[in-house]
């Protein structure tokens, strides 16, 4: 576990965890496994420049102080688009009470920012083995590849085509056991996160 990831009990009784974002070089407080999976998804998404958890809020009913609504994520994309995303399990969006509440939030956002919430369905993240694989590889993004001659590594791995071959080939290099995981985490070796993490799963060396 990352050193600055820790759990604590909030006054509401919810369990919180601090998530260390490498893309943003900041630590976020996230309140659910679903939000943590979403944060890792954003970390691996090359179309995302930066993001923020709980970036702001609005009051859908100005006369009611208890109506404050906090967005789940603010996201900046490569093309300059800024999105406010609301993440939920798919079935939650189908509940009339939730839909009505989000429509009211949209009205506030249109007046203030001329944009609507992006309804971010968990099924867009939870495809195949994506959630499990991104959880498996995320911490290896901290691995520093700069001491290695990656051109030579790429030449040595040129015939590698499966995870098993990658693990076997890198075991013969002067590198730690975490090295092949780091190559995948840094996208030096392409691995489809939707696929099962198994010896026969295809990979492509990009070095």
């Amino acid at each position: 576990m990352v050193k600055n990831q820790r759990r604590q009990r909030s006054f509401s009784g919810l369990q919180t965890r601090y998530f260390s974002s490498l893309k943003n070089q900041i630590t976020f407080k996230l309140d659910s496994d679903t939000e943590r999976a979403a944060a890792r998804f954003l970390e691996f998404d090359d179309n995302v420049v930066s993001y923020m958890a709980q970036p702001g809020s609005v009051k859908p009913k100005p006369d009611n102080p208890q109506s404050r609504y906090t967005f789940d994520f603010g996201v900046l994309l490569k093309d300059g688009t800024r999105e406010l995303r609301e993440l939920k399990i798919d079935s939650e969006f189908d509940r009339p009470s939730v839909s009505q509440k989000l429509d009211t939030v949209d009205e506030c956002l249109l007046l203030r920012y001329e944009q609507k919430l992006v309804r971010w369905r968990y099924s867009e993240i939870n495809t195949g083995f994506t959630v499990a694989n991104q959880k498996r590889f995320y911490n290896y993004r901290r691995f520093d590849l700069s001491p290695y001659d990656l051109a030579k590594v790429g030449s040595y791995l040129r015939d590698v085509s499966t995870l098993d071959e990658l693990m076997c080939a890198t075991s013969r290099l002067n590198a730690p056991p975490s090295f092949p995981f780091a190559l995948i985490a840094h996208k030096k070796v392409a691995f489809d996160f939707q696929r099962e993490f198994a010896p026969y799963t295809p990979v492509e060396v990009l070095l």
Side-chain angles (χ1 to χ4, degrees):
M1 180 179 291
V2 182
K3 289 183 179 179
N4 61 351
Q5 267 193 343
R6 55 191 174 86
R7 294 182 180 182
Q8 69 177 28
R9 288 282 176 179
S10 69
F11 289 110
S12 65
L14 295 175
Q15 191 176 69
T16 62
R17 177 179 292 177
Y18 289 86
F19 178 83
S20 180
S21 167
L22 297 175
K23 181 170 283 188
N24 300 284
Q25 294 297 300
I26 194 172
T27 298
F28 300 127
K29 187 177 77 171
L30 301 174
D31 297 328
S32 69
D33 288 335
T34 302
E35 289 183 358
R36 288 187 282 277
R40 285 190 292 267
F41 187 88
L42 294 171
E43 292 281 335
F44 279 102
D45 189 343
D46 292 334
N47 194 41
V48 173
V49 176
S50 62
Y51 67 95
M52 181 70 68
Q54 300 181 359
S57 60
V58 293
K59 290 184 178 180
K61 299 178 181 178
D63 57 335
N64 182 0
Q66 303 301 318
S67 71
R68 183 177 299 277
Y69 194 92
T70 301
F71 318 119
D72 286 333
F73 292 96
V75 180
L76 173 63
L77 303 178
K78 275 189 174 179
D79 64 2
T81 300
R82 296 179 182 274
E83 296 180 342
L84 293 172
R85 297 189 184 184
E86 176 64 22
L87 175 70
K88 289 188 183 299
I89 302 297
D90 293 34
S91 58
E92 285 291 301
F93 284 116
D94 298 329
R95 292 173 54 190
S97 60
V98 172
S99 179
Q100 183 178 5
K101 186 174 184 178
L102 294 182
D103 286 345
T104 303
V105 172
D106 277 340
E107 293 176 7
C108 295
L109 289 177
L110 284 170
L111 288 173
R112 185 178 298 182
Y113 304 114
E114 297 184 348
Q115 69 176 105
K116 292 183 177 182
L117 275 177
V118 173
R119 268 74 161 173
W120 196 14
R121 295 178 177 269
Y122 186 61
S123 62
E124 297 175 34
I125 297 170
N126 189 26
T127 55
F129 293 88
T130 298
V131 171
N133 281 325
Q134 290 185 341
K135 183 177 182 179
R136 173 181 288 111
F137 285 103
Y138 177 63
N139 286 335
Y140 293 103
R141 290 173 70 85
R142 301 175 182 280
F143 190 104
D144 183 10
L145 294 175
S146 62
Y148 300 91
D149 187 334
L150 294 182
K152 288 185 178 180
V153 172
S155 178
Y156 181 76
L157 300 178
R158 64 182 180 275
D159 295 325
V160 164
S161 61
T162 67
L163 274 173
D164 184 57
E165 291 174 358
L166 176 66
M167 300 300 174
C168 291
T170 53
S171 70
R172 295 189 288 270
L173 297 173
N174 184 23
S178 54
F179 187 62
F181 293 87
L183 291 176
I184 292 174
H186 285 279
K187 301 186 179 181
K188 304 301 181 183
V189 173
F191 167 73
D192 185 354
F193 286 144
Q194 296 186 49
R195 301 286 296 270
E196 182 181 8
F197 183 75
Y200 53 78
T201 304
V203 298
E204 179 184 1
V205 178
L206 303 177
L207 296 169

